[in-house]
Amino acid sequence: MSDFKMYLNMYQFDTKLPGSGRELKIKPITTGQLKRMLMYENVMDMGKIEEALDALITECVLSKDFDVNELYLQDRFFLLTELRKVTRGNMYTFTAFCNNPMCGSQYVHTIDLSKLPMRPFSLPPKKKIEEVVEEEPKKEEKPVPIKVERKRKGVVEEVPAPPRPVVIVEEEKDPYVVELSNGLKVELSLITRGMQAEAFRIISTRQGAKEITETQKKIEAITITTAMGIKAIITPDGERNDRVSLQDRIYLLDNITQTDMEKIQQWYDKTDFGIDFKFEVKCPHCSHVEVREVPLEDFFF
């Protein structure tokens, strides 16, 4: 008698992460896994929800030596989208409400996940500082006009000496380094799921964690993960410190100006990549056009 279990979970799909470039083999999500996800339907703790998604991803990735904590956040989101596509298909239907105050109607919208724009992974290009340096002639040498004889006219004409060689001095800037005020510099890295998970763990184990709202937790998590993304602090005299404690990195972020914080945020905005979940939608009732993000409440169901 044959065992029917050997015929289950036979489908495998190949995918390539846009950030790390790693190729993975994945399988569709099963009904049993979806049932476990339903247990978190009313859970408000984002840390626990993200842990449940980590378990789901790990179970669906068949490649060896896979660690969800090593994923860039953008790669993790891409992978979740790929799992949804191989499980339920590319088409995603959801309910939306028109934001036009004169309308406010409810309608159903369908979007093709495979057609969402993909932002490629690319660090800022290295900038080159070019300096033109004109070589001075040696003291014993003087520019001497060159005599050229024009045979046709039988005259000798003096032409200017050729220009001196020009040297281009190029300095390459590290695309990971952001310069702050007062000459301080920080070397940044992309945020991984492991960093994010550790931030949630730190917040949840603090004294009085139960009194913190979910909004406060999210704000605090952003600060901690950004601090974890600081790989080194470089002083104006060029001293590099890559062993700065997490507490000191958080202290740095809490004590820099808003302008400097924006510089760090701009670096992350420029290096962002992956699927863009924003799309343009038109209300079928009033033709109001707006840009919104694909809702994720029922993404897998």
Side-chain angles (χ1 to χ4, degrees):
M1 185 174 180
S2 61
D3 185 1
F4 70 91
K5 295 180 182 179
M6 62 183 296
Y7 298 99
L8 299 177
N9 299 324
M10 294 179 59
Y11 297 103
Q12 297 183 13
F13 300 87
D14 295 322
T15 189
K16 184 177 182 179
L17 301 179
S20 67
R22 182 176 180 183
E23 297 180 354
L24 298 174
K25 287 190 178 296
I26 59 176
K27 69 178 183 67
I29 302 169
T30 65
T31 54
Q33 291 170 323
L34 290 177
K35 285 168 61 178
R36 290 200 299 272
M37 289 301 300
L38 284 172
M39 297 171 57
Y40 296 88
E41 187 175 11
N42 298 318
V43 174
M44 299 301 296
D45 190 330
M46 285 303 300
K48 292 182 179 179
I49 295 174
E50 296 297 344
E51 287 176 1
L53 289 173
D54 285 345
L56 179 69
I57 293 172
T58 302
E59 291 175 359
C60 292
V61 174
L62 304 175
S63 302
K64 296 181 179 179
D65 301 324
F66 172 78
D67 186 351
V68 67
N69 288 314
E70 295 178 354
L71 291 175
Y72 296 136
L73 291 184
Q74 296 90 333
D75 278 347
R76 180 174 178 267
F77 188 69
F78 171 83
L79 193 50
L80 282 169
T81 306
E82 289 295 288
L83 290 175
R84 199 278 177 194
K85 287 161 61 177
V86 300
T87 302
R88 298 294 306 275
N90 293 334
M91 309 309 293
Y92 178 39
T93 301
F94 53 89
T95 301
F97 292 87
C98 179
N99 286 337
N100 182 0
M102 302 300 292
C103 178
S105 61
Q106 179 180 346
Y107 59 93
V108 176
H109 186 79
T110 300
I111 191 168
D112 188 343
L113 297 174
S114 66
K115 293 184 179 180
L116 289 173
M118 175 70 71
R119 189 173 179 178
F121 173 75
S122 62
L123 284 171
K126 290 186 177 182
K127 296 180 180 178
K128 295 181 179 180
I129 302 175
E130 297 186 354
E131 181 183 356
V132 178
V133 181
E134 187 175 341
E135 289 187 346
E136 296 182 359
K138 296 178 181 179
K139 293 182 179 181
E140 65 274 13
E141 295 180 357
K142 293 183 179 180
V144 180
I146 299 175
K147 293 183 179 182
V148 179
E149 182 178 352
R150 294 184 176 178
K151 295 182 179 181
R152 183 178 299 177
K153 295 183 178 181
V155 297
V156 175
E157 178 184 6
E158 289 187 355
V159 297
R164 299 189 184 101
V166 173
V167 178
I168 304 296
V169 178
E170 296 183 350
E171 178 184 343
E172 292 187 344
K173 286 189 175 181
D174 190 335
Y176 290 91
V177 173
V178 174
E179 184 170 354
L180 308 178
S181 302
N182 302 323
L184 274 178
K185 298 178 181 179
V186 290
E187 181 182 325
L188 302 175
S189 68
L190 295 175
I191 306 300
T192 65
R193 169 56 188 151
M195 295 179 186
Q196 186 189 58
E198 178 62 13
F200 279 119
R201 188 197 66 78
I202 292 172
I203 295 170
S204 64
T205 55
R206 283 179 176 174
Q207 187 175 3
K210 294 183 179 180
E211 285 72 35
I212 301 176
T213 66
E214 287 304 313
T215 300
Q216 291 173 323
K217 287 182 181 180
K218 290 179 182 178
I219 295 173
E220 189 66 18
I222 292 173
T223 300
I224 296 175
T225 53
T226 304
M228 289 180 176
I230 298 176
K231 307 305 294 182
I233 298 176
I234 306 169
T235 60
D237 57 6
E239 182 181 352
R240 173 190 171 90
N241 188 347
D242 53 5
R243 294 186 178 182
V244 184
S245 68
L246 178 60
Q247 289 74 18
D248 283 347
R249 284 177 279 171
I250 294 174
Y251 180 85
L252 172 71
L253 295 178
D254 285 341
N255 288 275
I256 60 177
T257 65
Q258 186 62 31
T259 300
D260 282 341
M261 192 64 195
E262 289 174 356
K263 289 180 181 178
I264 294 176
Q265 186 57 53
Q266 287 171 2
W267 185 89
Y268 280 105
D269 290 341
K270 290 179 180 178
T271 56
D272 194 18
F273 63 94
I275 300 176
D276 187 356
F277 254 40
K278 293 181 180 179
F279 67 100
E280 192 175 89
V281 63
K282 179 188 289 187
C283 175
H285 303 286
C286 70
S287 299
H288 173 68
V289 178
E290 58 184 307
V291 176
R292 61 191 310 161
E293 291 190 5
V294 177
L296 301 177
E297 290 80 4
D298 301 314
F299 194 55
F300 294 104
F301 299 96

